Amino acid sequence: TGLQFNLKRNFTGVWGFMANYSLHYASYQKLAFDPTDPEQFVYASPRDLDMDRYGVRWSFHLSTFYRLPWNFMVALFVQGQSGIFLSDRTGDYERTQSAPNVTLSNGRRVADIGWAAFNNYYVGKKWGTQGRYTDDIWSVILTLSKAFQIGQVRLEGYMDIYNLFNWASYASYSSVDIRHDFYADKTKPQSPRSAQVTLKIGFN
């Protein structure tokens, strides 16, 4: 589910803006265990796996433009979104240890999935007991453009600067397992500042 707030205004074509702020709410509820699900031996109730308000919680978008003399125009695009909650995991054994084999009634030997479940579960054996939020992600795009009319030919030049302030936020972590050596390391950084120049040619 979600809730949006929108604001839009255009002032005589000289300048204008549009802003949007959205609230997001996502919930996951586990009502029962599948009979073959080994997690039923780890958690006291399937409701321990309920996830309340997970994922992105809010997002923001703003776009604005201003027409300058001599057919120049400057535009600004701002977008942001909240970080997401990552629930920590742990286990009863060494993180890198392999599950032992068990022998089935038909004589086949397979990995013990019950053992594996006890070596990878949410801290506190309940989602949300312990965890971290990833960074809020913000980005600003600045666009400068100019139009030329040469006879029947119309030229439009654009210069776009992405991530104007060169913010360096991260969207994830190396691991959610508190036993992992790189548990604290952030990953998936946003793209650094970059620029792009474009020329558009049209014929009247």
Side-chain angles (χ1 to χ4, degrees):
T1 60
L3 179 64
Q4 283 192 352
F5 300 93
N6 295 291
L7 185 62
K8 182 178 181 180
R9 190 64 189 267
N10 191 330
F11 296 92
T12 66
V14 176
W15 74 280
F17 71 91
M18 182 174 66
N20 169 274
Y21 181 80
S22 300
L23 295 172
H24 309 272
Y25 182 86
S27 177
Y28 169 83
Q29 295 182 344
K30 192 175 183 70
L31 303 180
F33 287 116
D34 184 280
T36 61
D37 189 349
E39 289 186 329
Q40 63 186 301
F41 305 116
V42 180
Y43 299 97
S45 165
R47 304 310 299 269
D48 291 334
L49 297 174
D50 288 356
M51 295 187 294
D52 185 56
R53 205 181 180 191
Y54 70 96
V56 174
R57 291 163 291 131
W58 57 262
S59 59
F60 175 80
H61 302 275
L62 180 144
S63 61
T64 183
F65 72 90
Y66 187 82
R67 294 188 184 277
L68 300 169
W70 304 296
N71 283 332
F72 279 101
M73 186 170 73
V74 61
L76 194 69
F77 304 90
V78 181
Q79 53 188 6
Q81 69 176 40
S82 73
I84 62 173
F85 181 77
L86 300 176
S87 193
D88 288 342
R89 287 181 172 269
T90 188
D92 293 345
Y93 314 105
E94 289 292 332
R95 183 183 62 82
T96 57
Q97 189 175 346
S98 299
N101 290 331
V102 294
T103 303
L104 302 180
S105 58
N106 60 7
R108 288 183 56 200
R109 290 184 59 77
V110 297
D112 186 347
I113 59 173
W115 184 98
F118 275 101
N119 204 32
N120 183 19
Y121 56 81
Y122 291 124
V123 171
K125 295 186 177 179
K126 181 178 177 62
W127 186 89
T129 301
Q130 176 181 308
R132 303 166 290 177
Y133 282 96
T134 60
D135 295 340
D136 295 342
I137 305 292
W138 287 94
S139 182
V140 176
I141 302 172
L142 177 67
T143 299
L144 181 64
S145 62
K146 178 173 173 54
F148 305 85
Q149 187 70 42
I150 305 175
Q152 298 298 310
V153 179
R154 180 175 176 81
L155 303 176
E156 297 179 11
Y158 300 87
M159 182 179 69
D160 301 295
I161 302 176
Y162 301 95
N163 193 6
L164 179 64
F165 299 107
N166 205 31
W167 286 319
S169 299
Y170 293 81
S172 189
Y173 290 91
S174 290
S175 176
V176 294
D177 192 321
I178 62 175
R179 301 167 297 171
H180 200 288
D181 292 339
F182 302 113
Y183 166 78
D185 291 357
K186 294 183 176 182
T187 60
K188 298 183 180 179
Q190 65 186 115
S191 300
R193 180 170 51 219
S194 62
Q196 174 180 286
V197 177
T198 306
L199 178 64
K200 181 181 179 180
I201 303 176
F203 300 93
N204 297 331

